[in-house]
Amino acid sequence: MDKLRTLEIFLATCDGGSFASAAKSCNTDPSTVSKAISRLEAQLGLTLFQRSTRQLRISSAGERYAQTVRKMFQDLSACEDELRESNEVPKGTLRISSAVCYGHLYLRPMLKAFCQRYPDIRLELEINDLHVDIIDHDIDIALRTGYLKDSRLIARQLSPMDFLTCASPSYLKERGIPACPEDFANHSWVGFRIKQTGQLQPIFLPDKTGQYLPYELHRDHITDDGEAMANMCIDGFGVAQLPHFLAKQALQEGKLVSLYPHFRPPHPDSGVFVIYPKREFMPARVRVFIEFLNESLQAMGEGHNYTWAQNWRHEVSF
């Protein structure tokens, strides 16, 4: 900051032709201007102004230096204007990282409408289930099911993560419809292995009062890919408990049926979250994308504390 102030004084001296004029322009006194110019000349090892008792004349070195300094200030001002505009107007590159299943099934179908609404925003979309450091990887927004508690990040819940106990009609015709939780021990299950922990996703089933409790059941088939899990369930491999965003299309198309009402795992980190770095000033491209996400999910019957699964019919009939 001292150097920038000195350069401002230098340009004011060039433009005003005297220390007194520069002092008035910079709201200081001639002695301060004179000392600032002397320090600058000492740093450069150059004479920037020829001094006499009557006048102050810029040297050839001073003229060349003034051209460079003036251009530097012009470039800096233009850069600040551009950055200020990009923070206020939705434009520029938006870097998004999304969990695989949610990215394919929910996020990707929304993007065309978003880009049509904001044509000056370019997307860089990264699809994976890795919980990467979004600050180190220069990511604007991450969509995650469950989230890491990083004090440098803000996490807002887009929706809960509701699960449905699903099976294909063909499987149920062949193996029968379970009448109670204990019957599930005689059925095949498709299990999900959580990549981050290597553990199997727990199974929850309702007791007679409708309260969901954990059950230890054998998984005949296991996968670590959500879409593979849903498709194996559709193909009749067995029963699976699918998050709402994985089950939705297959339920709507009749490829799967839900045996029970939805349930939510009993831990606070279960949900779909939008995550972004803490910033005092949020870029407009980030702000409008979060607004668009919430708007799109509301149109799909979802919000920060509910999903469409809450109203899904679960009666099974053939």
Coordinates of all heavy atoms in Angstrom, one line a residue, residues 265-303:
P265 N -32.8 -42.0 7.8 CA -31.8 -42.6 8.8 C -31.6 -41.6 10.0 O -31.6 -40.4 9.8 CB -30.5 -42.6 7.9 CG -31.0 -42.7 6.5 CD -32.2 -41.9 6.5
P266 N -31.5 -42.2 11.2 CA -31.5 -41.4 12.4 C -30.1 -40.8 12.7 O -29.5 -41.0 13.7 CB -31.9 -42.4 13.4 CG -31.3 -43.7 12.9 CD -31.5 -43.6 11.4
H267 N -29.6 -40.0 11.8 CA -28.3 -39.3 12.1 C -28.4 -37.9 11.4 O -29.0 -37.8 10.3 CB -27.1 -40.1 11.7 CG -27.1 -40.6 10.3 ND1 -26.7 -39.8 9.2 CD2 -27.3 -41.8 9.8 CE1 -26.7 -40.5 8.1 NE2 -27.1 -41.7 8.4
P268 N -27.8 -36.9 11.9 CA -28.0 -35.5 11.5 C -27.4 -35.2 10.1 O -27.8 -34.3 9.5 CB -27.3 -34.7 12.6 CG -26.3 -35.6 13.2 CD -26.9 -37.0 13.1
D269 N -26.4 -36.0 9.7 CA -25.7 -35.7 8.4 C -26.4 -36.3 7.2 O -25.9 -36.3 6.1 CB -24.3 -36.2 8.5 CG -23.4 -35.3 9.4 OD1 -24.0 -34.3 9.9 OD2 -22.3 -35.7 9.8
S270 N -27.6 -36.9 7.4 CA -28.3 -37.5 6.3 C -29.1 -36.4 5.5 O -30.0 -35.8 6.1 CB -29.2 -38.6 6.8 OG -30.0 -39.1 5.7
G271 N -28.7 -36.2 4.3 CA -29.4 -35.2 3.5 C -28.7 -34.9 2.3 O -27.6 -35.4 2.0
V272 N -29.2 -34.0 1.4 CA -28.6 -33.5 0.2 C -28.2 -32.1 0.5 O -29.0 -31.3 0.8 CB -29.5 -33.6 -1.0 CG1 -28.8 -33.1 -2.2 CG2 -29.9 -35.1 -1.2
F273 N -26.9 -31.8 0.4 CA -26.4 -30.5 0.8 C -25.7 -29.8 -0.4 O -25.1 -30.4 -1.2 CB -25.4 -30.6 1.9 CG -26.0 -31.1 3.2 CD1 -26.0 -32.5 3.5 CD2 -26.5 -30.2 4.2 CE1 -26.6 -32.9 4.6 CE2 -27.0 -30.7 5.3 CZ -27.1 -32.1 5.6
V274 N -25.9 -28.5 -0.4 CA -25.1 -27.6 -1.3 C -24.0 -27.0 -0.4 O -24.3 -26.4 0.6 CB -25.9 -26.6 -2.1 CG1 -26.7 -25.7 -1.1 CG2 -25.0 -25.7 -3.0
I275 N -22.7 -27.1 -0.9 CA -21.6 -26.7 -0.1 C -20.8 -25.7 -0.9 O -20.5 -25.9 -2.0 CB -20.7 -27.9 0.3 CG1 -21.6 -29.0 1.1 CG2 -19.5 -27.5 1.2 CD1 -20.9 -30.3 1.3
Y276 N -20.3 -24.7 -0.2 CA -19.5 -23.7 -0.9 C -18.6 -23.0 0.1 O -18.9 -23.0 1.3 CB -20.4 -22.6 -1.6 CG -21.5 -22.0 -0.8 CD1 -21.3 -20.8 -0.2 CD2 -22.7 -22.7 -0.7 CE1 -22.3 -20.2 0.5 CE2 -23.8 -22.1 0.0 CZ -23.6 -20.9 0.6 OH -24.6 -20.3 1.4
P277 N -17.5 -22.4 -0.3 CA -16.6 -21.7 0.6 C -17.2 -20.5 1.3 O -18.1 -19.8 0.7 CB -15.4 -21.3 -0.3 CG -15.5 -22.1 -1.5 CD -17.0 -22.4 -1.7
K278 N -16.8 -20.2 2.5 CA -17.2 -19.0 3.1 C -16.6 -17.8 2.4 O -15.4 -17.8 2.1 CB -16.7 -19.0 4.6 CG -17.5 -19.9 5.5 CD -17.0 -19.8 7.0 CE -17.9 -20.7 7.9 NZ -17.4 -20.6 9.3
R279 N -17.5 -16.9 2.1 CA -17.1 -15.7 1.4 C -17.9 -14.5 2.0 O -19.0 -14.6 2.3 CB -17.3 -15.7 -0.1 CG -16.5 -16.7 -0.9 CD -16.8 -16.5 -2.4 NE -16.1 -17.5 -3.2 CZ -16.6 -18.5 -3.7 NH1 -17.9 -18.8 -3.5 NH2 -16.0 -19.3 -4.5
E280 N -17.2 -13.4 2.2 CA -17.9 -12.2 2.6 C -18.9 -11.7 1.5 O -20.0 -11.3 1.7 CB -17.0 -11.1 3.0 CG -17.7 -9.9 3.6 CD -16.7 -8.8 4.1 OE1 -15.5 -9.1 4.0 OE2 -17.2 -7.8 4.6
F281 N -18.4 -11.8 0.2 CA -19.2 -11.4 -0.9 C -19.3 -12.6 -1.9 O -18.4 -13.0 -2.5 CB -18.5 -10.2 -1.7 CG -18.3 -9.0 -0.8 CD1 -17.0 -8.8 -0.3 CD2 -19.3 -8.2 -0.4 CE1 -16.8 -7.6 0.5 CE2 -19.1 -7.1 0.4 CZ -17.8 -6.8 0.9
M282 N -20.5 -13.1 -1.9 CA -20.8 -14.3 -2.8 C -20.9 -13.9 -4.2 O -21.7 -13.0 -4.6 CB -22.1 -15.0 -2.4 CG -22.4 -16.2 -3.2 SD -24.0 -17.0 -2.8 CE -23.6 -17.6 -1.1
P283 N -20.1 -14.5 -5.2 CA -20.3 -14.2 -6.6 C -21.7 -14.4 -7.1 O -22.4 -15.4 -6.6 CB -19.3 -15.2 -7.2 CG -18.3 -15.5 -6.2 CD -19.1 -15.5 -4.9
A284 N -22.1 -13.6 -8.0 CA -23.5 -13.7 -8.5 C -23.8 -15.0 -9.1 O -24.9 -15.6 -9.0 CB -23.8 -12.5 -9.4
R285 N -22.8 -15.6 -9.8 CA -23.0 -16.9 -10.5 C -23.3 -18.0 -9.5 O -24.1 -18.9 -9.7 CB -21.8 -17.2 -11.3 CG -20.5 -17.5 -10.5 CD -19.3 -17.8 -11.4 NE -18.2 -18.1 -10.6 CZ -17.3 -17.2 -10.1 NH1 -17.6 -15.9 -10.3 NH2 -16.3 -17.5 -9.4
V286 N -22.7 -17.9 -8.3 CA -23.0 -18.9 -7.2 C -24.4 -18.6 -6.6 O -25.2 -19.6 -6.4 CB -21.9 -18.8 -6.1 CG1 -22.3 -19.7 -5.0 CG2 -20.6 -19.2 -6.7
R287 N -24.7 -17.4 -6.3 CA -26.0 -17.0 -5.7 C -27.1 -17.5 -6.6 O -28.1 -18.1 -6.1 CB -26.0 -15.5 -5.4 CG -27.4 -15.0 -4.9 CD -27.4 -13.6 -4.6 NE -26.8 -12.8 -5.7 CZ -27.5 -12.4 -6.8 NH1 -28.8 -12.8 -6.9 NH2 -27.0 -11.7 -7.7
V288 N -27.1 -17.2 -7.9 CA -28.2 -17.5 -8.7 C -28.4 -19.0 -8.9 O -29.5 -19.5 -9.1 CB -28.2 -16.8 -10.1 CG1 -28.2 -15.3 -9.9 CG2 -26.9 -17.2 -10.9
F289 N -27.2 -19.7 -8.9 CA -27.3 -21.2 -9.0 C -28.0 -21.8 -7.8 O -28.8 -22.7 -8.0 CB -25.9 -21.8 -9.2 CG -25.9 -23.2 -9.6 CD1 -26.4 -23.7 -10.8 CD2 -25.5 -24.2 -8.6 CE1 -26.4 -25.0 -11.1 CE2 -25.6 -25.5 -8.9 CZ -26.0 -26.0 -10.1
I290 N -27.6 -21.4 -6.6 CA -28.3 -21.9 -5.4 C -29.8 -21.6 -5.5 O -30.6 -22.4 -5.1 CB -27.6 -21.3 -4.2 CG1 -26.2 -21.8 -4.1 CG2 -28.4 -21.7 -2.9 CD1 -25.4 -21.2 -2.9
E291 N -30.1 -20.4 -5.9 CA -31.6 -20.0 -6.0 C -32.3 -20.9 -7.0 O -33.4 -21.3 -6.8 CB -31.7 -18.5 -6.4 CG -31.2 -17.6 -5.3 CD -31.2 -16.1 -5.8 OE1 -31.4 -15.9 -7.1 OE2 -30.9 -15.2 -5.0
F292 N -31.6 -21.2 -8.1 CA -32.1 -22.0 -9.2 C -32.3 -23.4 -8.7 O -33.4 -24.1 -9.0 CB -31.2 -22.0 -10.4 CG -31.7 -22.8 -11.6 CD1 -32.7 -22.3 -12.5 CD2 -31.3 -24.1 -11.7 CE1 -33.1 -23.1 -13.5 CE2 -31.7 -24.9 -12.8 CZ -32.7 -24.4 -13.7
L293 N -31.4 -24.0 -7.9 CA -31.5 -25.3 -7.4 C -32.7 -25.4 -6.5 O -33.5 -26.4 -6.6 CB -30.2 -25.6 -6.6 CG -29.0 -26.2 -7.3 CD1 -27.9 -26.4 -6.3 CD2 -29.3 -27.5 -8.0
N294 N -32.9 -24.5 -5.6 CA -34.0 -24.5 -4.7 C -35.3 -24.4 -5.4 O -36.3 -25.1 -5.1 CB -33.9 -23.4 -3.6 CG -32.9 -23.7 -2.6 OD1 -32.8 -24.8 -2.0 ND2 -32.0 -22.7 -2.3
E295 N -35.4 -23.5 -6.4 CA -36.6 -23.3 -7.2 C -36.9 -24.6 -8.0 O -38.1 -25.1 -8.0 CB -36.3 -22.2 -8.2 CG -37.5 -22.0 -9.2 CD -37.1 -20.9 -10.2 OE1 -36.4 -19.9 -9.9 OE2 -37.4 -21.1 -11.4
S296 N -35.9 -25.3 -8.6 CA -36.1 -26.5 -9.4 C -36.6 -27.6 -8.5 O -37.5 -28.4 -8.8 CB -34.9 -26.9 -10.1 OG -34.5 -25.9 -11.0
L297 N -36.0 -27.7 -7.3 CA -36.4 -28.8 -6.4 C -37.8 -28.6 -5.8 O -38.6 -29.6 -5.7 CB -35.4 -28.9 -5.2 CG -34.1 -29.5 -5.6 CD1 -33.1 -29.3 -4.4 CD2 -34.2 -30.9 -6.0
Q298 N -38.2 -27.4 -5.6 CA -39.6 -27.1 -5.2 C -40.6 -27.5 -6.2 O -41.6 -28.0 -5.9 CB -39.7 -25.6 -4.8 CG -39.1 -25.2 -3.5 CD -39.1 -23.7 -3.3 OE1 -39.8 -23.0 -4.0 NE2 -38.5 -23.2 -2.3
A299 N -40.2 -27.3 -7.5 CA -41.1 -27.7 -8.6 C -41.2 -29.3 -8.6 O -42.2 -29.8 -9.2 CB -40.6 -27.2 -9.9
M300 N -40.2 -30.0 -8.1 CA -40.2 -31.4 -8.0 C -40.9 -32.0 -6.7 O -40.8 -33.2 -6.5 CB -38.8 -31.9 -8.2 CG -38.2 -31.6 -9.5 SD -36.4 -31.9 -9.5 CE -36.2 -33.6 -9.1
G301 N -41.3 -31.1 -5.9 CA -42.0 -31.5 -4.6 C -41.0 -31.7 -3.5 O -41.2 -32.5 -2.6
E302 N -39.8 -31.0 -3.6 CA -38.8 -31.1 -2.5 C -38.4 -29.8 -2.0 O -38.4 -28.8 -2.7 CB -37.6 -31.9 -3.1 CG -37.9 -33.3 -3.6 CD -36.7 -34.1 -4.0 OE1 -35.6 -33.8 -3.5 OE2 -36.9 -35.0 -4.8
G303 N -38.0 -29.8 -0.7 CA -37.5 -28.6 -0.1 C -36.5 -29.0 1.0 O -36.1 -30.2 1.1

